[in-house]
Amino acid sequence: MNVKNLLVELFVEELPPKALNKLGNAFAVVLLEQLKAQGLASAESVVTAFASPRRLAAHITAVAPFAADKAVSAKLMPVAVGLSADGAPTPALLKKLQALGADVSAVAGLKRALDGKAEALFFERTVAGARLQEGLQKALLEAIAKLPIPKVMTYQLASGCAQPGWTSVSFVRPAHGLVALHGSDIVPVEALGLQSGNTTHGHRFEAAVDPVVLKDADSYAETLARDGAVIASFADRRADIIRQLNAAAAQIGGGVRAIEDEALLDEVTALVERPNVLVCSFEEEFLGVPQECLILTMKANQKYFPLLDAAGKLTHQFLIVSNISPADPSQVIGGNERVVRPRLADAKFFFDQDRKKTLESRVAGLDKVVYHNQLGSQGERVVRVRAIAKAIAQQLGGDALAQQADQAALLAKTDLVTDMVGEFPELQGTMGRYYALNDGLGVDVADAIEDHYKPRFAGDSLPRNPVGTAVALADKLETLVGMFGIGNLPTGDKDPFALRRHALGVIRMLTEQNLPLDVTALVEAAFNVLGDKCTAPREASVQALLTFMYDRLGGSLREEGYSAQEVDAVLALRPQRLAEVPKRLAAVRAFAALPEAAALAAANKRIGNILKKADTVDPHVSTVLLQEPAEIALHAAMQQAAPAAQAQFESGDYTASLQSLAALRAPVDAFFDGVMVNAEAIDVRLNRLGLLQSLHNAMNRVADLSKLAT
């Protein structure tokens, strides 16, 4: 079999840059999967994806010209249905065979085999393996159909169809070329009104020849780079941009570096076919504007890479990634500098205008900003956040902190009605801090205005001071309670109000900042503040939100490396102070490592099952009713271990508390070996249940140890 490497390329108009890398990988992966499914590619075949602004391509190794023939056995029907009493084929059998491309001559070769309790007829035959042309045709159409296209375009074909100018096709962008090479041989396939060949097109302006002729599949990237001035590989172009950015920064010197932004790097990689990094600059007077504004406008609007100095401060120079490499780049540099100047001037104008009004004067404007049709305006929301923030701050730091939190909560949303945030919504909070400092407010309040959005995403930093923590907790709790209070819950992958992120933010602040706050009390207090705005049943909403938060906490802990058993054991008790959860987990992990742990966990599970079947049990024990030596010994052991474990629990030494209970293993085992809990005498039975209840209470203060039982 003449196995060769395969290349497939679709040449199209400029593809959407933010989706390019995903489109290229999806195209290559589906092609390989489809060829493997048809036996044309093997498990050893390797696919390489190519994606540039005007092409999607895949190189696949070890592709066969045809697949091996294979034996196929098709169940037809029960023998009683397919053959008459004298063995003649019934009309039903003949019809079935005809559908499979066989006739009556095949009846004699049918195989009989048991299928369940009845005997059935099977038609066995050898099916010819797929040929590359038909197999690739199927794989290509499947790869095109499965592309994760953000938005489909419909356009008319100018040629290669029955009705030029009328026949329509749909694709991410109009396609103009198709290459399919098996080694150096063209595989005749078609798609999107195109016939395959061995020619493509290079760079719009800098290709050495046009069209670019590909002699074989393996020379694709090399030929495109040499004759077409195109780096076809997304990864190679990205690496080249990084190299050039670093080289340009090093040439400038002084420790400057290009800003790190993976999303921007990916987008720029998807915009150029052969990158050329150039150094540009703007007037230093613009550096008086907060650097976040300048950086954002350069990145978002122009796709430039701002340069930071060694201290992380923005410089007046920036890097561009051009798609052309002229001998004299001055025109390119000058053009980009002219384009960025009005953007920076706009940012300076917005900043200057915004500072003419105080944040406090903007509070009334929030009444005109709709938050949610059932929860009112941002102004109403600010009132609620203030009330929640004051209550939290009062617990954390008394009147002084409560006053600061109230002021920060009052002003936290006011930058939403500034010109700068109106133009750049991503700067909300950031600009509020600058304007608060401009208004002469304290640093703690200014930082809190910026930090009340934190953490914005996984791994983001937490608020830097207690004022910010109080307002951030209040802001997130108000959102969570408001949405749960009106029944607007996340479903599946849809979470438009980012409730999962808000819940994780609350959890992180409570745990990582070791806050002495009761999570149920926080939720209840927030529900009280929202009052009649919450139209869903109150108690059900409270419990639903708490369950939601504990579920998020459980998922987060498992991602951190705790086992499902450890997490379930701790969260089964729903500890109210989430700051204690890490200590409880550490205690459970240490307990699970003890030799007595497995037996005690199993006993705890057994005790729980016994108590579930009993009515309400009084945990007090009468020593007069203790009869069996094993129950007397267990009670005595508990008198020794339980008080120590209780004291250690109350002092917060959860690890020692659980380890103190390890001494109960032997008396617990002896109790179950030698004592009948359900004694005939009711007073003895109730006393033994009381003993088990007191044992159960002692064992499950830190965590539900039954969750550790295998």
Side-chain angles (χ1 to χ4, degrees), residues 627-678:
Q627 299 176 352
E628 299 292 340
E631 62 181 327
I632 295 171
L634 176 58
H635 181 260
M638 286 181 59
Q639 294 299 105
Q640 290 288 325
Q646 174 71 16
Q648 290 158 339
F649 174 81
E650 291 175 353
S651 68
D653 192 349
Y654 300 140
T655 300
S657 180
L658 284 180
Q659 291 177 340
S660 294
L661 298 173
L664 298 176
R665 177 190 172 176
V668 168
D669 288 347
F671 177 87
F672 282 115
D673 288 341
V675 177
M676 176 68 71
V677 176
N678 291 320

Short mmCIF file of all heavy atoms in Angstrom, two decimals, residues 627-678:
data_model
loop_
_atom_site.label_atom_id
_atom_site.label_comp_id
_atom_site.label_asym_id
_atom_site.label_seq_id
_atom_site.Cartn_x
_atom_site.Cartn_y
_atom_site.Cartn_z
N GLN A 627 -25.48 -2.30 81.35
CA GLN A 627 -25.45 -3.68 81.84
C GLN A 627 -24.24 -4.47 81.33
O GLN A 627 -23.53 -5.11 82.10
CB GLN A 627 -26.74 -4.41 81.44
CG GLN A 627 -28.00 -3.77 82.00
CD GLN A 627 -29.26 -4.46 81.50
OE1 GLN A 627 -29.20 -5.31 80.62
NE2 GLN A 627 -30.40 -4.09 82.08
N GLU A 628 -24.02 -4.40 80.01
CA GLU A 628 -22.96 -5.21 79.41
C GLU A 628 -21.60 -4.57 79.65
O GLU A 628 -21.46 -3.34 79.64
CB GLU A 628 -23.20 -5.36 77.90
CG GLU A 628 -24.51 -6.03 77.54
CD GLU A 628 -24.53 -7.49 77.93
OE1 GLU A 628 -23.42 -8.07 78.11
OE2 GLU A 628 -25.63 -8.06 78.05
N PRO A 629 -20.59 -5.41 79.85
CA PRO A 629 -19.24 -4.86 80.06
C PRO A 629 -18.79 -3.95 78.92
O PRO A 629 -18.12 -2.93 79.16
CB PRO A 629 -18.36 -6.12 80.15
CG PRO A 629 -19.31 -7.19 80.61
CD PRO A 629 -20.63 -6.88 79.99
N ALA A 630 -19.17 -4.29 77.68
CA ALA A 630 -18.71 -3.51 76.52
C ALA A 630 -19.31 -2.11 76.51
O ALA A 630 -18.65 -1.13 76.14
CB ALA A 630 -19.05 -4.25 75.22
N GLU A 631 -20.60 -2.01 76.93
CA GLU A 631 -21.19 -0.67 76.93
C GLU A 631 -20.67 0.15 78.11
O GLU A 631 -20.53 1.37 78.02
CB GLU A 631 -22.72 -0.74 76.92
CG GLU A 631 -23.34 -1.41 78.14
CD GLU A 631 -24.87 -1.45 78.02
OE1 GLU A 631 -25.46 -0.52 77.44
OE2 GLU A 631 -25.47 -2.43 78.51
N ILE A 632 -20.39 -0.54 79.22
CA ILE A 632 -19.79 0.16 80.36
C ILE A 632 -18.41 0.69 79.97
O ILE A 632 -18.06 1.84 80.28
CB ILE A 632 -19.70 -0.78 81.58
CG1 ILE A 632 -21.11 -1.16 82.05
CG2 ILE A 632 -18.91 -0.12 82.71
CD1 ILE A 632 -21.13 -2.25 83.11
N ALA A 633 -17.64 -0.15 79.28
CA ALA A 633 -16.29 0.25 78.86
C ALA A 633 -16.34 1.40 77.86
O ALA A 633 -15.52 2.33 77.92
CB ALA A 633 -15.56 -0.95 78.25
N LEU A 634 -17.30 1.36 76.91
CA LEU A 634 -17.42 2.43 75.92
C LEU A 634 -17.78 3.75 76.61
O LEU A 634 -17.21 4.80 76.30
CB LEU A 634 -18.47 2.08 74.87
CG LEU A 634 -18.76 3.17 73.83
CD1 LEU A 634 -17.49 3.58 73.08
CD2 LEU A 634 -19.84 2.71 72.84
N HIS A 635 -18.72 3.68 77.56
CA HIS A 635 -19.11 4.89 78.27
C HIS A 635 -17.93 5.48 79.04
O HIS A 635 -17.70 6.70 79.05
CB HIS A 635 -20.27 4.59 79.22
CG HIS A 635 -20.76 5.79 79.97
ND1 HIS A 635 -20.39 6.05 81.28
CD2 HIS A 635 -21.55 6.80 79.59
CE1 HIS A 635 -20.96 7.18 81.68
NE2 HIS A 635 -21.69 7.66 80.67
N ALA A 636 -17.14 4.60 79.67
CA ALA A 636 -15.97 5.06 80.43
C ALA A 636 -14.94 5.70 79.50
O ALA A 636 -14.34 6.74 79.83
CB ALA A 636 -15.37 3.89 81.20
N ALA A 637 -14.73 5.07 78.34
CA ALA A 637 -13.76 5.61 77.38
C ALA A 637 -14.21 6.98 76.87
O ALA A 637 -13.40 7.90 76.67
CB ALA A 637 -13.59 4.65 76.21
N MET A 638 -15.52 7.12 76.66
CA MET A 638 -16.03 8.41 76.21
C MET A 638 -15.87 9.48 77.27
O MET A 638 -15.62 10.65 76.96
CB MET A 638 -17.50 8.29 75.81
CG MET A 638 -17.73 7.56 74.47
SD MET A 638 -19.46 7.49 74.06
CE MET A 638 -19.89 9.22 74.01
N GLN A 639 -16.03 9.09 78.52
CA GLN A 639 -15.85 10.05 79.61
C GLN A 639 -14.42 10.59 79.64
O GLN A 639 -14.19 11.71 80.07
CB GLN A 639 -16.18 9.39 80.96
CG GLN A 639 -17.63 8.99 81.12
CD GLN A 639 -18.58 10.19 81.04
OE1 GLN A 639 -19.25 10.38 80.04
NE2 GLN A 639 -18.59 11.00 82.08
N GLN A 640 -13.50 9.77 79.14
CA GLN A 640 -12.11 10.20 79.08
C GLN A 640 -11.83 11.03 77.82
O GLN A 640 -11.24 12.11 77.88
CB GLN A 640 -11.18 8.96 79.08
CG GLN A 640 -11.14 8.21 80.39
CD GLN A 640 -10.39 8.99 81.47
OE1 GLN A 640 -9.41 9.68 81.19
NE2 GLN A 640 -10.87 8.89 82.70
N ALA A 641 -12.29 10.53 76.64
CA ALA A 641 -11.91 11.14 75.35
C ALA A 641 -12.78 12.33 74.96
O ALA A 641 -12.27 13.33 74.42
CB ALA A 641 -11.97 10.08 74.25
N ALA A 642 -14.09 12.25 75.21
CA ALA A 642 -15.00 13.28 74.71
C ALA A 642 -14.73 14.67 75.27
O ALA A 642 -14.71 15.65 74.52
CB ALA A 642 -16.45 12.87 74.96
N PRO A 643 -14.52 14.83 76.60
CA PRO A 643 -14.25 16.18 77.10
C PRO A 643 -12.99 16.80 76.50
O PRO A 643 -12.96 17.99 76.19
CB PRO A 643 -14.10 15.96 78.61
CG PRO A 643 -14.87 14.71 78.89
CD PRO A 643 -14.65 13.85 77.70
N ALA A 644 -11.95 15.99 76.33
CA ALA A 644 -10.71 16.51 75.74
C ALA A 644 -10.95 16.93 74.29
O ALA A 644 -10.51 18.01 73.85
CB ALA A 644 -9.62 15.45 75.80
N ALA A 645 -11.68 16.07 73.54
CA ALA A 645 -11.98 16.39 72.14
C ALA A 645 -12.83 17.65 72.04
O ALA A 645 -12.63 18.49 71.15
CB ALA A 645 -12.70 15.22 71.47
N GLN A 646 -13.78 17.80 72.98
CA GLN A 646 -14.65 18.98 72.99
C GLN A 646 -13.83 20.25 73.26
O GLN A 646 -14.00 21.28 72.59
CB GLN A 646 -15.73 18.83 74.06
CG GLN A 646 -16.61 20.05 74.26
CD GLN A 646 -17.55 20.30 73.11
OE1 GLN A 646 -17.77 19.42 72.28
NE2 GLN A 646 -18.10 21.51 73.04
N ALA A 647 -12.95 20.19 74.22
CA ALA A 647 -12.13 21.36 74.56
C ALA A 647 -11.22 21.74 73.38
O ALA A 647 -11.05 22.93 73.07
CB ALA A 647 -11.29 21.06 75.80
N GLN A 648 -10.64 20.73 72.76
CA GLN A 648 -9.77 21.01 71.61
C GLN A 648 -10.57 21.58 70.44
O GLN A 648 -10.12 22.48 69.73
CB GLN A 648 -9.05 19.72 71.19
CG GLN A 648 -8.00 19.28 72.21
CD GLN A 648 -7.66 17.81 72.10
OE1 GLN A 648 -8.44 17.02 71.56
NE2 GLN A 648 -6.51 17.43 72.65
N PHE A 649 -11.80 21.09 70.25
CA PHE A 649 -12.67 21.62 69.20
C PHE A 649 -12.99 23.09 69.45
O PHE A 649 -12.90 23.93 68.55
CB PHE A 649 -13.96 20.80 69.12
CG PHE A 649 -14.98 21.36 68.16
CD1 PHE A 649 -14.88 21.12 66.80
CD2 PHE A 649 -16.04 22.14 68.61
CE1 PHE A 649 -15.81 21.63 65.91
CE2 PHE A 649 -16.97 22.66 67.73
CZ PHE A 649 -16.87 22.41 66.38
N GLU A 650 -13.33 23.40 70.68
CA GLU A 650 -13.71 24.78 71.02
C GLU A 650 -12.53 25.74 70.93
O GLU A 650 -12.71 26.93 70.65
CB GLU A 650 -14.32 24.82 72.42
CG GLU A 650 -15.69 24.14 72.49
CD GLU A 650 -16.24 24.05 73.91
OE1 GLU A 650 -15.50 24.42 74.85
OE2 GLU A 650 -17.40 23.63 74.07
N SER A 651 -11.33 25.22 71.11
CA SER A 651 -10.15 26.08 70.99
C SER A 651 -9.69 26.20 69.54
O SER A 651 -8.74 26.94 69.24
CB SER A 651 -9.01 25.53 71.84
OG SER A 651 -8.53 24.30 71.30
N GLY A 652 -10.34 25.47 68.62
CA GLY A 652 -9.98 25.54 67.21
C GLY A 652 -8.93 24.56 66.77
O GLY A 652 -8.48 24.59 65.62
N ASP A 653 -8.51 23.65 67.66
CA ASP A 653 -7.50 22.65 67.30
C ASP A 653 -8.23 21.41 66.79
O ASP A 653 -8.35 20.40 67.49
CB ASP A 653 -6.63 22.32 68.51
CG ASP A 653 -5.40 21.51 68.12
OD1 ASP A 653 -5.34 21.04 66.96
OD2 ASP A 653 -4.50 21.34 68.97
N TYR A 654 -8.71 21.49 65.57
CA TYR A 654 -9.55 20.42 65.02
C TYR A 654 -8.77 19.12 64.81
O TYR A 654 -9.32 18.03 64.97
CB TYR A 654 -10.17 20.87 63.70
CG TYR A 654 -11.05 22.09 63.84
CD1 TYR A 654 -11.04 23.09 62.87
CD2 TYR A 654 -11.90 22.25 64.94
CE1 TYR A 654 -11.84 24.22 63.00
CE2 TYR A 654 -12.70 23.37 65.06
CZ TYR A 654 -12.67 24.34 64.10
OH TYR A 654 -13.46 25.45 64.23
N THR A 655 -7.52 19.22 64.46
CA THR A 655 -6.72 18.02 64.24
C THR A 655 -6.59 17.23 65.53
O THR A 655 -6.81 16.01 65.57
CB THR A 655 -5.33 18.41 63.71
OG1 THR A 655 -5.48 19.10 62.47
CG2 THR A 655 -4.47 17.16 63.49
N ALA A 656 -6.25 17.89 66.62
CA ALA A 656 -6.12 17.21 67.91
C ALA A 656 -7.46 16.66 68.38
O ALA A 656 -7.53 15.58 68.97
CB ALA A 656 -5.54 18.17 68.95
N SER A 657 -8.54 17.39 68.10
CA SER A 657 -9.86 16.95 68.51
C SER A 657 -10.21 15.61 67.89
O SER A 657 -10.68 14.69 68.57
CB SER A 657 -10.91 18.00 68.13
OG SER A 657 -12.20 17.59 68.52
N LEU A 658 -9.96 15.48 66.59
CA LEU A 658 -10.26 14.21 65.93
C LEU A 658 -9.32 13.11 66.40
O LEU A 658 -9.73 11.95 66.57
CB LEU A 658 -10.16 14.37 64.41
CG LEU A 658 -11.32 15.09 63.71
CD1 LEU A 658 -11.08 15.17 62.21
CD2 LEU A 658 -12.64 14.37 63.98
N GLN A 659 -8.06 13.45 66.60
CA GLN A 659 -7.10 12.43 67.01
C GLN A 659 -7.40 11.92 68.42
O GLN A 659 -7.11 10.77 68.74
CB GLN A 659 -5.68 12.98 66.91
CG GLN A 659 -5.25 13.19 65.45
CD GLN A 659 -3.87 13.79 65.32
OE1 GLN A 659 -3.36 14.40 66.26
NE2 GLN A 659 -3.27 13.66 64.14
N SER A 660 -8.00 12.76 69.26
CA SER A 660 -8.38 12.31 70.60
C SER A 660 -9.43 11.20 70.54
O SER A 660 -9.49 10.35 71.44
CB SER A 660 -8.92 13.49 71.41
OG SER A 660 -7.91 14.44 71.65
N LEU A 661 -10.24 11.24 69.49
CA LEU A 661 -11.30 10.24 69.36
C LEU A 661 -10.77 8.89 68.88
O LEU A 661 -11.51 7.90 68.92
CB LEU A 661 -12.38 10.75 68.40
CG LEU A 661 -13.10 12.03 68.84
CD1 LEU A 661 -14.01 12.52 67.73
CD2 LEU A 661 -13.89 11.79 70.11
N ALA A 662 -9.53 8.86 68.38
CA ALA A 662 -8.98 7.59 67.89
C ALA A 662 -8.92 6.54 68.99
O ALA A 662 -9.00 5.34 68.73
CB ALA A 662 -7.59 7.83 67.30
N ALA A 663 -8.83 6.99 70.26
CA ALA A 663 -8.78 6.05 71.38
C ALA A 663 -10.07 5.26 71.55
O ALA A 663 -10.11 4.25 72.27
CB ALA A 663 -8.47 6.81 72.67
N LEU A 664 -11.14 5.68 70.89
CA LEU A 664 -12.43 5.00 71.03
C LEU A 664 -12.57 3.80 70.11
O LEU A 664 -13.58 3.08 70.19
CB LEU A 664 -13.57 5.99 70.74
CG LEU A 664 -13.68 7.20 71.68
CD1 LEU A 664 -14.78 8.12 71.21
CD2 LEU A 664 -13.96 6.72 73.11
N ARG A 665 -11.60 3.55 69.26
CA ARG A 665 -11.79 2.47 68.29
C ARG A 665 -12.05 1.13 68.96
O ARG A 665 -13.02 0.44 68.63
CB ARG A 665 -10.55 2.35 67.39
CG ARG A 665 -10.71 1.18 66.41
CD ARG A 665 -9.48 0.82 65.65
NE ARG A 665 -9.68 -0.40 64.91
CZ ARG A 665 -8.79 -0.93 64.09
NH1 ARG A 665 -7.62 -0.33 63.90
NH2 ARG A 665 -9.04 -2.06 63.46
N ALA A 666 -11.17 0.74 69.89
CA ALA A 666 -11.32 -0.59 70.51
C ALA A 666 -12.64 -0.72 71.27
O ALA A 666 -13.37 -1.71 71.08
CB ALA A 666 -10.13 -0.86 71.43
N PRO A 667 -13.01 0.23 72.14
CA PRO A 667 -14.29 0.08 72.84
C PRO A 667 -15.50 0.13 71.90
O PRO A 667 -16.52 -0.52 72.16
CB PRO A 667 -14.31 1.24 73.84
CG PRO A 667 -13.24 2.17 73.41
CD PRO A 667 -12.23 1.36 72.71
N VAL A 668 -15.41 0.88 70.80
CA VAL A 668 -16.53 0.92 69.83
C VAL A 668 -16.66 -0.45 69.16
O VAL A 668 -17.77 -0.99 69.01
CB VAL A 668 -16.32 2.03 68.78
CG1 VAL A 668 -17.30 1.87 67.62
CG2 VAL A 668 -16.50 3.40 69.42
N ASP A 669 -15.53 -1.02 68.72
CA ASP A 669 -15.59 -2.35 68.10
C ASP A 669 -16.15 -3.38 69.08
O ASP A 669 -16.98 -4.23 68.70
CB ASP A 669 -14.18 -2.77 67.66
CG ASP A 669 -13.69 -1.99 66.44
OD1 ASP A 669 -14.53 -1.32 65.80
OD2 ASP A 669 -12.48 -2.04 66.14
N ALA A 670 -15.70 -3.31 70.34
CA ALA A 670 -16.19 -4.26 71.35
C ALA A 670 -17.68 -4.08 71.60
O ALA A 670 -18.41 -5.06 71.81
CB ALA A 670 -15.40 -4.08 72.65
N PHE A 671 -18.15 -2.84 71.57
CA PHE A 671 -19.57 -2.57 71.78
C PHE A 671 -20.42 -3.27 70.72
O PHE A 671 -21.40 -3.96 71.02
CB PHE A 671 -19.82 -1.06 71.76
CG PHE A 671 -21.27 -0.67 71.90
CD1 PHE A 671 -21.85 -0.52 73.16
CD2 PHE A 671 -22.06 -0.47 70.78
CE1 PHE A 671 -23.19 -0.19 73.28
CE2 PHE A 671 -23.40 -0.12 70.89
CZ PHE A 671 -23.97 0.02 72.15
N PHE A 672 -20.05 -3.11 69.46
CA PHE A 672 -20.85 -3.71 68.39
C PHE A 672 -20.70 -5.23 68.35
O PHE A 672 -21.59 -5.93 67.87
CB PHE A 672 -20.48 -3.10 67.04
CG PHE A 672 -21.09 -1.73 66.81
CD1 PHE A 672 -20.31 -0.61 66.69
CD2 PHE A 672 -22.48 -1.58 66.75
CE1 PHE A 672 -20.87 0.64 66.50
CE2 PHE A 672 -23.05 -0.34 66.56
CZ PHE A 672 -22.25 0.78 66.44
N ASP A 673 -19.58 -5.73 68.89
CA ASP A 673 -19.41 -7.19 68.93
C ASP A 673 -20.22 -7.82 70.07
O ASP A 673 -20.70 -8.96 69.94
CB ASP A 673 -17.93 -7.54 69.12
CG ASP A 673 -17.12 -7.27 67.85
OD1 ASP A 673 -17.74 -7.18 66.77
OD2 ASP A 673 -15.88 -7.13 67.96
N GLY A 674 -20.39 -7.08 71.19
CA GLY A 674 -20.96 -7.73 72.36
C GLY A 674 -22.25 -7.16 72.90
O GLY A 674 -22.77 -7.65 73.91
N VAL A 675 -22.81 -6.11 72.22
CA VAL A 675 -24.02 -5.47 72.77
C VAL A 675 -25.13 -5.45 71.73
O VAL A 675 -24.88 -5.09 70.57
CB VAL A 675 -23.71 -4.03 73.24
CG1 VAL A 675 -24.98 -3.35 73.75
CG2 VAL A 675 -22.63 -4.03 74.32
N MET A 676 -26.33 -5.85 72.15
CA MET A 676 -27.51 -5.75 71.31
C MET A 676 -28.17 -4.40 71.59
O MET A 676 -28.70 -4.17 72.67
CB MET A 676 -28.49 -6.89 71.63
CG MET A 676 -29.81 -6.80 70.86
SD MET A 676 -29.59 -7.10 69.09
CE MET A 676 -29.26 -8.86 69.11
N VAL A 677 -28.11 -3.49 70.60
CA VAL A 677 -28.65 -2.15 70.81
C VAL A 677 -30.14 -2.20 71.05
O VAL A 677 -30.68 -1.60 72.00
CB VAL A 677 -28.31 -1.24 69.61
CG1 VAL A 677 -28.97 0.14 69.79
CG2 VAL A 677 -26.81 -1.10 69.44
N ASN A 678 -30.87 -2.93 70.23
CA ASN A 678 -32.33 -2.99 70.33
C ASN A 678 -32.74 -4.05 71.37
O ASN A 678 -33.32 -5.09 71.04
CB ASN A 678 -32.95 -3.29 68.98
CG ASN A 678 -32.80 -2.13 68.02
OD1 ASN A 678 -32.94 -0.98 68.41
ND2 ASN A 678 -32.49 -2.43 66.76
#
